[in-house]
Amino acid sequence: MSGTPPPTGGFVRRVGLFQATAINMSQMCGIGPFVTIPLMVAAFGGPQAVIGFVAGALLALADGLIWAELGAAMPGSGGSYVYLRQAFQYRTGRLMPFLFVWTAMLFIPLIMSTGVVGFVQYLGYLAPGMGKTTGDLVGLGMVALVVLLLWRGIEHIARITAVMWAVMITSVLLVIVAAATDFSADLAFTYPAHAFELSSGTFWVGFAAGLTIGIYDYLGYNTTAYMGAEIKDPGRVLPRSIIYSILGIMAIYLLLQIGTLGVIDWHRMKDPGDIASTSVASAVMEETWGKGAADTVTVLILITAFASVFTGLLGGSRVPYDAARERVFFRPYAKLHPKHRFPMLGLATMGVISAIGFLIGRHTDFATLIQLLTTVMVIVQALAQVVALSVLRRRQPGLRRPYRMWLYPVPSFLALAGWLTIYGYADKNSPGRHPIEWSLAWLALGLVAFAIWARLEKVWPFGPKEITEEYLTAPAPETEPAGA
């Protein structure tokens, strides 16, 4: 058992509340809302699709309170990797953090592949004659370009990502303002018969699909938890950044969804031959401000899509590197490029999986891709963290908890119910695709990979458990002076 403070890897606590909230929001609001509004309408069968974004926000908020307590108590670099390692080490050694990294190797690049699919969809607005094969080549070329840029090493990453974030916010606000100038309440609030018939099984299947799409759009509310070692006064700042970012993005999404429904007839969003089903934001701009404005915003959305893939692979490639460096994953992933000092194998692996995920999304459908990435994520991250919170309250009652979940354990039960709903309805919402079976297959492969790795490293179950309760006795993180 260690009594020394957990290492921060040389990080400095410089990120305050405003910056932390902005980081979360920039990760949450990428290409997602521009491509999922038609999917949400299709899931619910009408303008009542707004329910999906509200439900997604409530699940994100319940789950966010779990991240808030764990992140405030263990403000190190790594997020889930740290929490699962601390909670499950008593019975299963390093199994759970290993499985988290294993699943992250799949769901992180799958999230990035949705950005590539969105890029190709909106490019189709500017190049309507683009065929399927050309679109495939463009998407694969985009993945290759991102990997190439990251492979050569990029200077001034913070400045580049800030510019890309500004472009994303500009495109969202332009669509919202344009929709407000030609808004029709009849279009936005005229619902089909039986739209809210809760006794109907169809409603609940649609609700589960909408909840899945909704939570996909909110993913990123936990970004600052992965940066715990760089957050000022994490016991206060980290929980607030999570809550504020969810509420802020919910407001943006509701304005975007309602505004879009008030301009574009929702029936058009369900027609595969209508541009509103693939490039709904461009359709809104064309309907309100004309073709020139639509072309301009489409270019901004393309930049947003590229930025989401660029920043996602930049951060995601570090996950297996950090774990391998701490001997919780395969050692080759701990090697850095000799000149540019980036994790080569992690970037290459996630680049390949992103390309494969893009082809899956192009040749099945976007909703199936979302179902696959969420089912993979649910078991080892979402559900495991619900359990981890309770385990740590029992195993480490003396752990310093500057933030404790409001109304515990109600939010945990709500998060558990939400994630189980998403997982349980996955196959029904993707008939013939079997995302549950694929997620279980990936988990089974992870167990085999862990057995091989544990044998090589001679750790549990082929060696002793290593119990490290470093956060239990670590001093409180220093708080920056007021005005710093």
Side-chain angles (χ1 to χ4, degrees), residues 226-246:
Y226 286 96
M227 303 170 56
E230 301 167 77
I231 303 295
K232 292 180 185 178
D233 190 9
R236 181 183 67 89
V237 168
L238 201 151
R240 293 185 182 187
S241 71
I242 292 172
I243 296 168
Y244 293 169
S245 62
I246 293 171

Side-chain angles (χ1 to χ4, degrees), residues 66 69-70 87 384-396 401 405 408-409 412-413:
I66 295 173
E69 177 168 327
L70 294 174
Q385 282 195 182
V386 174
V387 177
L389 181 69
S390 297
V391 168
L392 285 170
R393 283 202 173 197
R394 180 171 56 87
R395 286 281 191 175
Q396 297 185 15
R401 292 178 173 85
M405 175 189 286
Y408 174 84
S412 288
F413 287 137

Side-chain angles (χ1 to χ4, degrees), residues 259-312:
T260 299
L261 288 168
V263 174
I264 303 295
D265 188 325
W266 65 270
H267 293 91
R268 292 180 57 190
M269 300 184 202
K270 296 179 65 177
D271 181 2
D274 195 306
I275 197 66
S277 68
T278 55
S279 308
V280 69
S282 303
V284 169
M285 298 303 297
E286 183 175 332
E287 190 79 19
T288 54
W289 290 355
K291 187 68 166 61
D295 289 345
T296 301
V297 168
T298 301
V299 171
L300 295 179
I301 291 173
L302 293 177
I303 296 172
T304 297
F306 184 88
S308 68
V309 179
F310 179 87
T311 56

Side-chain angles (χ1 to χ4, degrees), residues 85-119:
R85 183 184 64 194
Q86 287 295 304
F88 294 100
Q89 61 183 329
Y90 302 98
R91 292 187 180 275
T92 58
R94 302 181 187 181
L95 172 62
M96 289 304 292
F98 180 96
L99 287 179
F100 165 72
V101 177
W102 176 263
T103 55
M105 293 286 288
L106 182 60
F107 74 72
I108 289 177
L110 286 182
I111 293 173
M112 299 310 104
S113 67
T114 63
V116 186
V117 173
F119 181 94

Side-chain angles (χ1 to χ4, degrees), residues 51-62 211 214-215 218 246-247 250:
I51 296 172
F53 284 116
V54 175
L58 293 177
L59 175 55
L61 191 58
L211 180 62
I215 197 63
Y218 286 97
I246 293 171
L247 296 177
M250 180 178 69

Side-chain angles (χ1 to χ4, degrees), residues 144-156:
L145 177 60
V146 169
V147 172
L148 180 64
L149 289 174
L150 293 174
W151 197 273
R152 294 176 60 85
I154 299 292
E155 299 292 334
H156 310 299

